[in-house]
Amino acid sequence: MIGIIGAMDIEIEHINAIMENKEEFTVSGALYTKGMLNGKGIVTAVCGIGKVFAAMCAQTMIVKFGADKIINTGVAGGLTEKTDILDTVVATALVQHDMDTTYFGDPRGMISGINVVEFPCDKELAEKISANVEGNLVRGIVASGDCFVADNDKKKDIAETFNAVACEMEGASIAQVCYVNKVPFAVLRTISDGANGEEMSYEKFRVVAAEKAAKVIINTLKEI
């Protein structure tokens, strides 16, 4: 069973539209759709914004639906000149840039209790996703936090501290849940704005980004 967690309804809609044998379940207010696609059992959900909702979704997929792999898709802001609008980032690892216990001598981003800063993505799964990306592909660390990062100084700080190429609000919490449950995961992001703040209209972006990401995931399912 492969779990697919989206950050936007439109991304999951593309996948759900061609899913076979669909069943819907509501758990803790979130809608999960279970079925078959390209011969694989999948379960999809839109997790909601922020790390807590994303973590709840990942845990539910693992515990209730038996997901043994999880793919998280969505959008992210670019942090370096390596990324431009509509580029695709496939994460090598995830970090939580807003986790800070440096007062106690810990490195910034370290998750207390498991003493991890970087949660590495499953290499095989990430490589299969990368192979299906059309257009510019960027591999690198993605940083997550419960804040929308628009300030250029903050972007620079996150990029330099964690060597991150993009930032968003969900991926690293999904990574943490998968890490403690020993479930392979991968994170796919479409860049919504460059490091210098350049953007395209949201309505245009969301349609193009969703179509790109869904196509990558659908094609990847054929190879898992």
Side-chain angles (χ1 to χ4, degrees):
M1 180 64 66
I2 301 164
I4 302 169
I5 301 175
M8 295 192 297
D9 290 331
I10 193 171
E11 293 161 342
I12 299 305
E13 287 171 1
H14 281 285
I15 296 170
N16 286 354
I18 60 173
M19 190 191 302
E20 299 175 339
N21 304 323
K22 286 186 281 191
E23 296 180 88
E24 293 185 341
F25 306 84
T26 299
V27 182
S28 301
L31 179 66
Y32 295 78
T33 305
K34 180 182 176 182
M36 299 292 295
L37 182 57
N38 288 334
K40 306 297 190 305
I42 67 169
V43 56
T44 67
V46 178
C47 62
I49 297 173
K51 294 194 299 179
V52 174
F53 277 134
M56 289 170 59
C57 186
Q59 186 72 10
T60 299
M61 284 190 163
I62 294 166
V63 174
K64 181 174 177 60
F65 296 101
D68 52 15
K69 293 182 180 65
I70 289 183
I71 300 172
N72 175 220
T73 181
V75 301
L79 296 177
T80 74
E81 293 181 356
K82 294 179 182 179
T83 55
D84 202 354
I85 299 169
L86 287 178
D87 284 352
T88 300
V89 172
V90 177
T92 55
L94 281 291
V95 299
Q96 297 183 34
H97 67 76
D98 60 347
M99 187 67 180
D100 191 343
T101 55
T102 53
Y103 176 83
F104 300 103
D106 300 329
R108 187 170 152 201
M110 192 186 83
I111 308 301
S112 300
I114 54 176
N115 299 332
V116 171
V117 175
E118 294 184 9
F119 295 98
C121 295
D122 182 74
K123 289 183 179 180
E124 183 179 356
L125 184 56
E127 286 173 2
K128 286 180 178 178
I129 291 171
S130 298
N132 284 290
V133 171
E134 296 179 357
N136 192 38
L137 167 67
V138 178
R139 299 296 311 277
I141 294 170
V142 173
S144 307
D146 280 322
C147 56
F148 184 84
V149 179
D151 180 78
N152 286 338
D153 289 338
K154 181 67 173 176
K155 288 183 178 183
K156 183 178 179 182
D157 171 62
I158 295 171
E160 292 179 350
T161 301
F162 298 101
N163 194 30
V165 298
C167 65
E168 35 85 305
M169 299 178 68
E170 293 85 28
S173 60
I174 294 171
Q176 181 177 342
V177 170
C178 289
Y179 177 87
V180 298
N181 284 284
K182 297 181 172 56
V183 171
F185 72 94
V187 172
L188 168 70
R189 287 289 183 269
T190 305
I191 296 298
S192 60
D193 59 274
N196 60 4
E198 291 182 2
E199 301 179 357
M200 71 162 56
S201 75
Y202 175 71
E203 287 305 315
K204 180 179 179 181
F205 169 80
R206 70 192 294 267
V207 172
V208 176
E211 289 177 351
K212 283 187 63 174
K215 184 177 181 181
V216 170
I217 292 171
I218 291 165
N219 288 335
T220 300
L221 289 175
K222 298 174 184 177
E223 303 168 4
I224 296 176

